[in-house]
Amino acid sequence: MSLPGLPVPHSPDSPDRPGLPDRKQDEVRRMLAGPYPRVPPDLAARAAERGRRLLARRTLLRRLGWLLALCALVALFVLVTHRPWLPPPTHTTPPVEGW
């Protein structure tokens, strides 16, 4: 954008036309000066509802993640304390030989 009283800079693409404004700048100026599109009256309500849904989804995912982490911790504790990879203990004594 140019300040009042200053010359409009020319486009770097067209050095042979100094002083003429760039076509893209003209289009942007027309878009900014033109009528603005109407905002739907329920836009704020829709945005708030979408925000609530996103927040609820994030909260649910966070809680599910903590629940999964807790289940993994409990499973690890059970595995460490019960040691299912070891053979079960024998409840009878082996016969005594060699006396």
Side-chain angles (χ1 to χ4, degrees):
M1 297 242 188
S2 63
L3 296 174
L6 295 176
V8 176
H10 66 283
S11 170
D13 297 335
S14 59
D16 57 336
R17 299 180 344 176
L20 293 177
D22 188 15
R23 179 184 57 87
K24 293 178 184 177
Q25 288 180 0
D26 285 342
E27 288 179 14
V28 170
R29 283 191 187 102
R30 275 196 307 268
M31 286 173 38
L32 291 175
Y36 299 108
R38 291 182 43 110
V39 176
D42 64 336
L43 181 65
R46 288 188 302 175
E49 180 61 31
R50 183 169 188 254
R52 276 191 287 276
R53 282 194 315 263
L54 288 174
L55 185 61
R57 185 178 299 138
R58 278 193 209 133
T59 303
L60 177 67
L61 289 175
R62 187 179 305 119
R63 287 181 181 170
L64 284 175
W66 279 111
L67 181 64
L68 183 64
L70 180 65
C71 288
L73 190 63
V74 167
L76 181 66
F77 177 75
V78 167
L79 285 175
V80 168
T81 56
H82 291 291
R83 299 181 190 174
W85 57 87
L86 295 178
T90 57
H91 295 289
T92 61
T93 57
V96 179
E97 296 176 3
W99 279 88

